[in-house]
Amino acid sequence: MKFRLYRYSPESGEKPHMQDVELDIDPVGKMLLDALLAIKAQDETLSLRRSCREGVCGSDAVNVNGKNRLACITPLGELKEPIEVRPLPGLPVIRDLIVDMEPFYRQYRSIKPWLINDGPEPEVERLQSPEDRALLDGAYECILCACCTTACPSFWWNPDKFVGPAGLLQAYRFIADSRDEATSARLDNVEDPYRLYRCHGIMNCVDACPKGLNPTEAIGRIKSLLVKRRV
Amino acid sequence: MKPIARPVYLDLLRIYLPLAGWVSILHRVSGALLFLALPPGVWALSLSLSSEAGFLRMAGWVTHPLSKLLLLLGVWAFTHHLFAGLRHLALDVHWGTGLSHARQSSLAVMLATGLVTLLAAWRLFT
Amino acid sequence: MKPATGAHAGTGIWLVQRATAVVLAVALPGLMAHFLLALPVDFSGWQGLFAPLWVRVLLLLTALALALHAWVGVRDIFMDYIHFTGLRLALYLAVIVTLAGSVVWLAAVLWGSA
Amino acid sequence: MNTRRFDALIVGGGGAGLRAALQLARSDYKVAVVSKVFPTRSHTVSAQGGITAALANVDDDRWEWHMYDTVKGGDWLGDQDAIEFMCREAASAVYELEHMGLPFSRLDNGKIYQRPFGGQSKHFGGDQATRTCAAADRTGHALLHTLYQQNIQHRTQFFDEYFALDLLRDADGYCLGVTAMSIETGEPLLIEARTTLLATGGAGRVFWNSSNAMINTGDGLGMVLRAGLPLQDMEFWQFHPTGIAGVGCLITEGVRGEGGYLLNKHGERFMERYAPHAKDLAGRDVVARAIAIEIAEGRGCGPRGDYVDIKLDHLGEKTIAEKLPGIRDLAIRFAGVDPAEKPIPVAPTAHYMMGGIPTNLYGQVVAPARFGPEEPVPGLYAVGECACVSVHGANRLGGNSLLDLIVFGRAAGKHMLEYLRDNPYPRSLPGNAAEASLARLQRWDQAGSERVAAISDDLRRLMQTHAGVFRTDAVLREGLEKLNELEGRLAHAGLQDTSRVFNTARIEALELENLMGVARATLVSAISRTESRGAHTREDFPARDDEHWLKHTLYSRAGDQVDAKPVRLKPLTVESIRPKERVY
């Protein structure tokens, strides 16, 4: 199979370039990650992140034929050749397919992603009805792979100011949690022309999410709460 | 040994833009066009209402193929902005926010806009 | 770096954009129908279309909504793409002048021609 | 060499490390976590089914029953004091996670949802219990993210994408931190700490067919071996019965807990023959062996007869969507079947290392020294899969792994606080403390004829063949000989890529060194244990031998020596559970 890989090594002094690679591999039942690792076995200078290789850790997000995907759950046979693999868009490239995720993590941290409940801790669990728990479905499963945020033009233009789809989805995960008491402060935290309102409902994030989550929907819910609070 | 300037991959021609993304960026483009058309529009109105001569000059210009083309662009911009805007309003009240619905509504916006623009072209050029 | 807390702003203007959008979505097609259905007309007929007070008032109110709507939209474009604050502010000013000027001009045209 | 100083250092950013770090971060001490991946990429994230605690939310339950099941599940090799401690602390540790925000699934009355899991019983071996708390089938993900979130709230200092190299110790044996390397820049770093905890996870990547993440390379075990400390019970590897055939990704035991079951090629529910009472919810070693036998005797499914089917379509679309959404995803992606319609092809896959760094129930690393086999190494702790407390004995029960992480993570964190109070002044680091590490790093700058990737592959194949579900003395010894050859090749290995920045080839080489140590410990320990117990099945010694082998093995690298220490059969407060035959 034919591949075109984005290569960049800061130590070489060269600019990023595309490398053509031919790999003898039977695509049946294989994922893109299998191919990338096979290429790495031939040429160990190719660098990429990977861990769980089953789509739950979020390490190996890359841009494949233009789309952000997790290499480990992207069936090789589905891809059009030459398979072009590049790093996630909009983040500084450290090397090859590895980007600096810090701008992404910084936005994640900025929404205070932890449960806030200053009430006395009960001896047993805090109760939560299955209906209230169901509100978290589609919000807590995020694996922080950054496929959505780096597919979002608003994040490309303002990565330091716009929280981005993943961060806002997490913000909603805590706003929606019946056990969290800081809803008002959380809304304050995101109510900002840049932090929240750079979202223009482009919905690239929904298209990109490998877990089938819907950040746009969550952002819409946040906006509704803000409007409700105002009027 | 912090590398000084890291490259950023952001080749807009290679990065896949889903249909909803196209609807969205065209919504922005059409909005910008309509904004730019505002002062000329007011000027044209003022000319056409100023006097009989002004009105005739206006009417004369309108028949010019170039202005017809501009008019057609305006029709497209207005229609797309309207339909895409209605779609956004629906999304704001949480209608059709699922991925497949969003794709369908994007397609609908593109098709409807195309249809209206074609009708306008037919009306203008035949 | 900007502190990671919101400016407690943005919702108002977002609402304005939505509200004006609804107004425009209703008013603009209506007005267009009013004019286009009468076409083609001669000069006096054309002038006549603008004669009723309700037409002129409606046009002006729609123009106001349009100006607000456009302001939010164009401001969004600049916020996305223009990161140099001085330039952005200058562009904001230009947009405001353009929009306000257009509305005032329109008012003058409508009432001047009556 | 750059140096950073902390009160406490955690090596590993998975569930165990983050739980311990949280305990320390909530105090006034400065705590750092070194992790070779961003913490939420740790393997805890893959845990599916749940975390076991006798909350009695669904059905009658008591921690004593949980303790009994754990002792029995571990084939009486587990230390009963540690098991009692874990089962008694389980409920409070789980409630604590709930208070931190873990999004557990819920029962109609609002309490934490629990599901039945393998090896669980009521009344000390009676009916099936319902004891495993779950967040759908993403419990590990929910747990890991919750703990990471708590740590950022409490401002734990994270060294993300730093690879820990070696333990730093002084002449008195005190552990004073680690040497590490920034993966991003390739620069070595000395991290001094008054107390260090290893939470580096398992080493399942030593097998060809493995459910484990690619990062599970036993790095902490390698560090301990190089420090001259022993590893305990390394012959015990759990093969999870239901990995997706040919891929290894796990199909949680929760599938069987929710009512799924296994079928051979005749459509027979064969577990009824192997475990008439518990059937598909027998201990994992029992089910894995049963599947291996079905396949070996020609009753496997598929064109090559190399797997069995797990059927769950009868559970209905709704249950699958609510309780097993992730499994459905995995099955569609990796097996190409929708489990709501067709059974999933599964086969046993290397899953969990019961052995590891010997510790007591405070997480202190213990080693035979002047006064006996249980003497703590001052300043050094270990928890989680890399540690051997030992609560899982010869076979771990599903749902007990996440529990192990948080109970002993918390216990170790607490004990480290005491240690810090008792040892208020940092000890001085010997001048040459980092020398060996630096030499090890420099070694990989040399050219060599052998390739790391090739040796890695051969190692995994070797272990799959020679240390799999069924073992014999001859097979194990042949494996050890091959391992010697591989070690010879490793000495001649070199890297093509000698760059500094994010050189993953260099990391893989360092990981391979650690895996080699794990493989050796496994083979040597497995040769020495001439009985079958739990997950260690010797065809040449098919019976359990309590007379000679009711004891732990302790492997030391020096001279490949295997020592033994007794199993602690005496619990803390309750009566000992005496060994008896293990049937399900």
Side-chain angles (χ1 to χ4, degrees):
Chain A
M1 297 184 84
K2 287 191 175 62
F3 293 81
R4 297 196 72 213
L5 307 176
Y6 181 101
R7 300 300 308 267
Y8 168 69
S9 166
E11 289 156 277
S12 71
E14 287 169 34
K15 286 198 166 139
H17 65 278
M18 297 303 288
Q19 181 190 18
D20 289 299
V21 180
E22 281 254 21
L23 182 71
D24 188 19
I25 187 170
D26 176 13
V28 174
K30 297 235 174 43
M31 300 291 165
L32 174 63
L33 180 65
D34 298 315
L36 292 176
L37 294 178
I39 293 171
K40 184 171 172 62
Q42 293 172 9
D43 171 10
E44 64 188 27
T45 64
L46 176 67
S47 285
L48 65 147
R49 291 191 179 102
R50 81 287 179 276
S51 175
C52 75
R53 60 86 183 85
E54 57 184 20
V56 295
C57 81
S59 298
D60 63 350
V62 285
N63 188 270
V64 191
N65 288 348
K67 294 185 189 184
N68 291 349
R69 314 182 65 161
L70 295 177
C72 59
I73 52 171
T74 299
L76 205 47
E78 272 181 17
L79 299 171
K80 205 171 111 252
E81 292 183 60
I83 299 167
E84 306 200 350
V85 187
R86 294 183 172 81
L88 289 178
L91 291 175
V93 179
I94 297 175
R95 172 176 177 174
D96 296 340
L97 302 175
I98 295 169
V99 291
D100 179 6
M101 298 274 281
E102 182 53 25
F104 172 79
Y105 295 142
R106 190 181 297 136
Q107 293 298 353
Y108 169 67
R109 290 193 302 265
S110 83
I111 60 98
K112 298 192 170 42
W114 52 82
L115 191 86
I116 297 174
N117 184 324
D118 295 330
E121 286 199 359
E123 239 174 86
V124 294
E125 67 265 60
R126 292 195 178 96
L127 297 183
Q128 184 174 47
S129 69
E131 294 74 37
D132 281 342
R133 169 59 182 74
L135 295 175
L136 306 184
D137 284 334
Y140 82 95
E141 300 95 324
C142 172
I143 56 173
L144 301 179
C145 66
C147 277
C148 61
T149 295
T150 59
C152 175
S154 289
F155 186 78
W156 296 339
W157 316 136
N158 285 293
D160 50 340
K161 294 188 190 137
F162 176 46
V163 173
L168 290 168
L169 180 67
Q170 287 293 315
Y172 182 68
R173 176 250 173 275
F174 289 98
I175 288 169
D177 197 321
S178 61
R179 299 168 295 172
D180 189 275
E181 290 179 333
T183 299
S184 174
R186 291 186 189 282
L187 290 175
D188 286 345
N189 183 9
V190 292
E191 186 177 26
D192 181 276
Y194 279 99
R195 284 174 63 67
L196 172 70
Y197 286 104
R198 279 312 85 206
C199 171
H200 307 306
I202 303 168
M203 294 192 82
N204 281 9
C205 52
V206 189
D207 223 277
C209 178
K211 306 305 282 183
L213 308 181
N214 193 324
T216 306
E217 164 80 23
I219 294 169
R221 299 277 164 195
I222 295 177
K223 285 177 179 168
S224 293
L225 288 171
L226 282 168
V227 169
K228 209 175 282 172
R229 188 166 79 154
R230 174 161 293 240
V231 296
Chain B
M1 203 194 72
K2 201 93 178 159
I4 314 133
R6 286 174 170 160
V8 172
Y9 169 63
L10 196 59
D11 185 342
L12 297 184
L13 298 177
R14 291 187 190 279
I15 295 168
Y16 167 74
L17 187 64
L19 195 59
W22 276 107
V23 169
S24 173
I25 187 63
L26 291 177
H27 186 234
R28 167 160 289 189
V29 169
S30 58
L33 283 177
L34 292 171
F35 165 72
L36 293 175
L38 218 49
V42 179
W43 173 76
L45 189 66
S46 108
L47 184 66
S48 71
L49 288 174
S50 62
S51 64
E52 178 96 37
F55 178 81
L56 290 176
R57 252 165 77 203
M58 234 8 259
W61 285 342
V62 169
T63 55
H64 192 275
L66 202 65
S67 37
K68 280 187 178 178
L69 220 54
L70 277 175
L71 217 57
L72 189 64
L73 183 65
V75 170
W76 168 80
F78 178 76
T79 329
H80 183 88
H81 204 81
L82 176 69
F83 289 154
L86 289 173
R87 175 177 173 272
H88 267 140
L89 287 174
L91 293 176
D92 284 338
V93 292
H94 317 296
W95 285 355
T97 49
L99 182 55
S100 59
H101 284 138
R103 280 179 180 156
Q104 286 162 9
S105 61
S106 305
L107 189 65
V109 167
M110 295 297 249
L111 288 178
T113 306
L115 193 69
V116 171
T117 312
L118 276 177
L119 277 175
W122 175 69
R123 181 83 181 69
L124 279 169
F125 292 101
T126 57
Chain C
M1 207 185 84
K2 191 180 156 63
T5 175
H8 301 188
T11 305
I13 205 160
W14 182 84
L15 260 179
V16 164
Q17 190 185 33
R18 265 50 186 180
T20 52
V22 173
V23 169
L24 293 171
V26 176
L28 278 178
L31 281 165
M32 279 189 187
H34 174 75
F35 292 111
L36 290 178
L37 286 178
L39 287 180
V41 289
D42 56 9
F43 177 61
S44 58
W46 179 243
Q47 267 193 329
L49 285 177
F50 292 86
L53 185 65
W54 68 266
V55 172
R56 281 179 284 152
V57 171
L58 199 59
L59 259 176
L60 195 67
L61 286 178
T62 307
L64 270 172
L66 184 68
L68 282 172
H69 188 80
W71 161 239
V72 185
V74 179
R75 171 180 169 273
D76 262 344
I77 296 181
F78 292 150
M79 283 173 82
D80 281 347
Y81 306 131
I82 313 286
H83 295 154
F84 182 60
T85 311
L87 177 61
R88 196 170 65 247
L89 291 181
L91 286 169
Y92 284 173
L93 195 68
V95 171
I96 289 171
V97 167
T98 309
L99 288 173
S102 296
V103 172
V104 171
W105 190 9
L106 180 73
V109 168
L110 289 176
W111 268 268
S113 68
Chain D
M1 194 162 163
N2 285 332
T3 304
R4 298 288 302 270
R5 290 186 181 82
F6 295 90
D7 295 312
L9 172 65
I10 313 290
V11 183
L18 292 185
R19 183 59 193 84
L22 182 59
Q23 202 68 29
L24 291 151
R26 282 172 177 167
S27 72
D28 289 334
Y29 289 110
K30 272 177 69 186
V31 55
V33 173
V34 170
S35 173
K36 67 176 173 178
V37 291
F38 181 74
T40 66
R41 324 281 183 220
S42 307
H43 191 48
T44 304
V45 84
S46 298
Q48 298 169 347
I51 177 165
T52 304
L55 307 184
N57 282 357
V58 174
D59 202 353
D60 261 3
D61 213 351
R62 290 169 54 180
W63 67 259
E64 290 92 340
W65 302 344
H66 180 194
M67 175 179 170
Y68 172 85
D69 291 341
T70 304
V71 171
K72 175 184 168 188
D75 224 349
W76 278 270
L77 189 72
D79 289 332
Q80 295 192 14
D81 52 349
I83 296 175
E84 179 188 332
F85 181 78
M86 178 175 82
C87 297
R88 209 146 38 91
E89 295 262 301
S92 80
V94 167
Y95 290 140
E96 204 175 50
L97 287 173
E98 194 283 327
H99 297 157
M100 290 176 198
L102 198 153
F104 281 112
S105 298
R106 298 291 172 151
L107 298 162
D108 284 338
N109 61 10
K111 291 183 174 182
I112 294 171
Y113 171 78
Q114 294 186 283
R115 61 164 55 116
F117 244 54
Q120 294 180 352
S121 72
K122 297 191 284 188
H123 304 286
F124 309 102
D127 290 343
Q128 174 74 41
T130 304
R131 190 178 291 144
T132 299
C133 312
D137 55 1
R138 303 188 179 94
T139 316
H141 169 279
L143 182 146
L144 184 64
H145 280 253
T146 301
L147 286 174
Y148 179 63
Q149 292 160 354
Q150 290 291 310
N151 272 284
I152 27 183
Q153 182 188 9
H154 290 94
R155 301 190 177 281
T156 301
Q157 169 81 44
F158 280 98
F159 287 87
D160 294 338
E161 297 184 329
Y162 277 73
F163 188 82
L165 295 166
D166 283 294
L167 294 172
L168 297 169
R169 295 175 78 195
D170 68 9
D172 297 330
Y174 280 78
C175 180
L176 304 175
V178 303
T179 48
M181 181 180 96
S182 158
I183 299 176
E184 188 185 310
T185 65
E187 275 179 53
L189 175 70
L190 208 94
I191 307 179
E192 282 188 55
R194 280 189 280 153
T195 168
T196 301
L197 173 110
L198 295 173
T200 56
R205 276 281 146 179
V206 80
F207 288 94
W208 185 257
N209 216 331
S210 169
S211 72
N212 279 208
M214 305 186 72
I215 55 170
N216 287 18
T217 52
D219 302 323
L221 308 185
M223 292 167 75
V224 158
L225 285 175
R226 283 191 295 277
L229 296 167
L231 295 180
Q232 180 176 325
D233 294 341
M234 286 300 290
E235 63 274 34
F236 294 102
W237 286 87
Q238 179 170 79
F239 293 83
H240 194 290
T242 56
I244 293 179
V247 184
C249 300
L250 217 60
I251 297 301
T252 174
E253 193 164 307
V255 167
R256 284 170 282 141
E258 298 286 347
Y261 50 83
L262 295 160
L263 297 172
N264 62 18
K265 79 167 175 191
H266 304 304
E268 181 205 2
R269 200 172 162 184
F270 58 86
M271 278 314 298
E272 289 175 346
R273 276 189 277 120
Y274 296 89
H277 185 61
K279 295 178 188 138
D280 295 86
L281 285 176
R284 283 180 177 172
D285 55 332
V286 177
V287 183
R289 265 193 301 273
I291 296 174
I293 291 170
E294 289 298 302
I295 291 172
E297 295 182 353
R299 291 188 295 277
C301 308
R304 287 186 299 277
D306 54 357
Y307 61 83
V308 296
D309 279 332
I310 186 163
K311 177 180 156 63
L312 60 154
D313 53 275
H314 58 285
L315 301 181
E317 192 127 349
K318 185 163 175 285
T319 303
I320 293 174
E322 269 172 28
K323 300 290 165 26
L324 303 163
I327 287 303
R328 187 179 198 174
D329 242 32
L330 279 178
I332 291 173
R333 284 210 164 99
F334 287 96
V337 298
D338 182 348
E341 290 163 11
K342 280 163 78 178
I344 312 170
V346 292
T349 177
H351 182 55
Y352 188 86
M353 175 181 81
M354 269 74 71
I357 306 161
T359 71
N360 60 26
L361 49 82
Y362 308 109
Q364 290 179 289
V365 174
V366 294
R370 281 156 290 185
F371 311 110
E374 302 273 332
E375 202 171 314
V377 177
L380 185 61
Y381 292 76
V383 285
E385 189 172 343
C386 75
C388 182
V389 189
S390 117
V391 284
H392 308 306
N395 168 63
R396 174 175 72 78
L397 290 186
N400 268 355
S401 175
L402 292 182
L403 182 63
D404 171 11
L405 306 186
I406 58 161
V407 165
F408 292 104
R410 177 169 75 176
K414 284 181 181 168
H415 202 272
M416 288 167 86
L417 286 172
E418 276 176 40
Y419 180 89
L420 287 170
R421 277 193 286 273
D422 294 344
N423 296 272
Y425 305 110
R427 300 169 67 90
S428 63
L429 198 64
N432 61 353
E435 247 169 43
S437 282
L438 290 177
R440 221 155 62 78
L441 275 185
Q442 272 158 16
R443 175 254 174 276
W444 287 107
D445 287 335
Q446 292 165 14
S449 50
E450 289 281 353
R451 298 287 308 281
V452 168
I455 301 174
S456 281
D457 277 4
D458 290 349
L459 175 69
R460 293 176 225 280
R461 287 211 172 84
L462 179 166
M463 290 299 283
Q464 192 72 28
T465 316
H466 294 276
V469 178
F470 294 101
R471 301 161 172 181
T472 66
D473 185 69
V475 168
L476 287 164
R477 282 188 195 279
E478 198 189 325
L480 192 57
E481 264 170 47
K482 287 188 186 168
L483 183 67
N484 290 334
E485 268 171 52
L486 278 186
E487 282 183 351
R489 284 169 59 193
L490 183 62
H492 299 291
L495 298 175
Q496 297 171 324
D497 180 2
T498 52
S499 63
R500 300 282 132 197
V501 175
F502 234 109
N503 184 338
T504 48
R506 186 186 303 267
I507 298 300
E508 283 173 24
L510 295 166
E511 288 173 339
L512 176 59
E513 291 179 338
N514 293 327
L515 280 177
M516 284 285 194
V518 170
R520 181 164 282 276
T522 300
L523 288 169
V524 173
S525 305
I527 290 169
S528 77
R529 187 176 288 272
T530 49
E531 65 156 353
S532 290
R533 181 186 297 271
H536 177 65
T537 312
R538 289 282 299 258
E539 285 179 297
D540 43 355
F541 297 94
R544 196 175 84 192
D545 179 359
D546 286 339
E547 195 185 323
H548 297 102
W549 281 110
L550 200 54
K551 56 191 181 186
H552 301 291
T553 55
L554 278 182
Y555 166 84
S556 309
R557 189 148 116 152
D560 273 349
Q561 198 184 327
V562 180
D563 297 314
K565 71 174 184 184
V567 171
R568 290 196 296 272
L569 291 169
K570 196 175 153 20
L572 299 168
T573 65
V574 293
E575 271 188 32
S576 177
I577 299 163
R578 307 305 306 172
K580 58 178 182 186
E581 203 196 341
R582 180 165 164 256
V583 285
Y584 283 104

